[in-house]
Amino acid sequence: MDVRYPIGKLQVHEKVTLENIQEWLKEIETYTVRLRETVDSLSDEELSKTYREGSWTVRQLVHHIADSQLNMYQRLKLALTDENPTVPAFDEEKWAIQPDTKLSVESSIKMLEGINERIVSLGHSLTEEQSNRTFTHQINGKIKVATKVAKLAWHEEHHLAHIKIALSK
């Protein structure tokens, strides 16, 4: 197993159905409960563990998940409200070392609870036409709403696997 991609790289079919989206939303809907179960009782020492040499700590991973979901949620909303908006990238490495990443992981779990609730609510109302709307990422190019929902679910699971690897060391 490649610890950089413990659940594999994101793979999205060319034709995504509304049923696929509903499956991803189920993962997103239960995510914060599973994340909280994994990190709630951790000591500072455990929160400082990494899943591989040079990787982010468990604490940084939890904050990164919240930061990333926030950015991806905004992109999703923009795609649904604007005509193919161009969205900026965010420098994940610089975000991961900002002073707020020293806070308790609880602050990011609370943030994720709200963001994920909003994503799930929005996702349940998507029509096929809306799922095919797009935004243009300044680095990665044009991305469909359906693909973004897939990434929202995959990204959380990807980093939960990283956290579990770090804690197993």
Side-chain angles (χ1 to χ4, degrees), residues 46-79:
E46 290 168 314
L47 287 167
S48 297
K49 288 184 167 192
T50 60
Y51 63 93
R52 67 181 171 91
E53 183 72 31
S55 73
W56 289 334
T57 65
V58 170
R59 181 186 311 277
Q60 287 173 309
L61 282 165
V62 173
H63 291 308
H64 164 73
I65 295 162
D67 289 343
S68 187
Q69 292 294 98
L70 174 67
N71 276 280
M72 288 195 278
Y73 171 66
Q74 180 183 31
R75 294 168 185 168
L76 185 66
K77 291 274 287 213
L78 287 168

Side-chain angles (χ1 to χ4, degrees), residues 77-88:
K77 291 274 287 213
L78 287 168
L80 293 171
T81 58
D82 298 352
E83 281 306 315
N84 190 37
T86 298
V87 300

Side-chain angles (χ1 to χ4, degrees), residues 85-96:
T86 298
V87 300
F90 77 103
D91 189 329
E92 297 174 353
E93 294 296 329
K94 287 182 180 173
W95 281 53

Side-chain angles (χ1 to χ4, degrees), residues 118-147:
R118 302 275 306 264
I119 290 166
V120 169
S121 175
L122 194 60
H124 282 316
S125 70
L126 287 176
T127 64
E128 192 166 330
E129 180 184 339
Q130 288 172 317
S131 74
N132 288 310
R133 290 183 63 94
T134 61
F135 65 89
T136 299
H137 186 277
Q138 75 180 137
I139 295 172
N140 300 326
K142 193 177 277 196
I143 299 171
K144 288 183 180 181
V145 164
T147 303

Side-chain angles (χ1 to χ4, degrees), residues 9-75:
K9 292 185 178 184
L10 174 64
Q11 295 181 9
V12 182
H13 299 293
E14 184 71 29
K15 175 70 175 136
V16 174
T17 66
L18 292 177
E19 289 78 28
N20 296 136
I21 291 171
Q22 296 309 310
E23 288 301 313
W24 296 322
L25 291 173
K26 286 178 190 173
E27 290 179 20
I28 294 167
E29 190 169 35
T30 63
Y31 184 76
T32 54
V33 170
R34 293 180 287 119
L35 177 63
R36 188 182 298 281
E37 287 171 352
T38 305
V39 302
D40 234 7
S41 62
L42 299 180
S43 66
D44 279 339
E45 183 180 329
E46 290 168 314
L47 287 167
S48 297
K49 288 184 167 192
T50 60
Y51 63 93
R52 67 181 171 91
E53 183 72 31
S55 73
W56 289 334
T57 65
V58 170
R59 181 186 311 277
Q60 287 173 309
L61 282 165
V62 173
H63 291 308
H64 164 73
I65 295 162
D67 289 343
S68 187
Q69 292 294 98
L70 174 67
N71 276 280
M72 288 195 278
Y73 171 66
Q74 180 183 31
R75 294 168 185 168

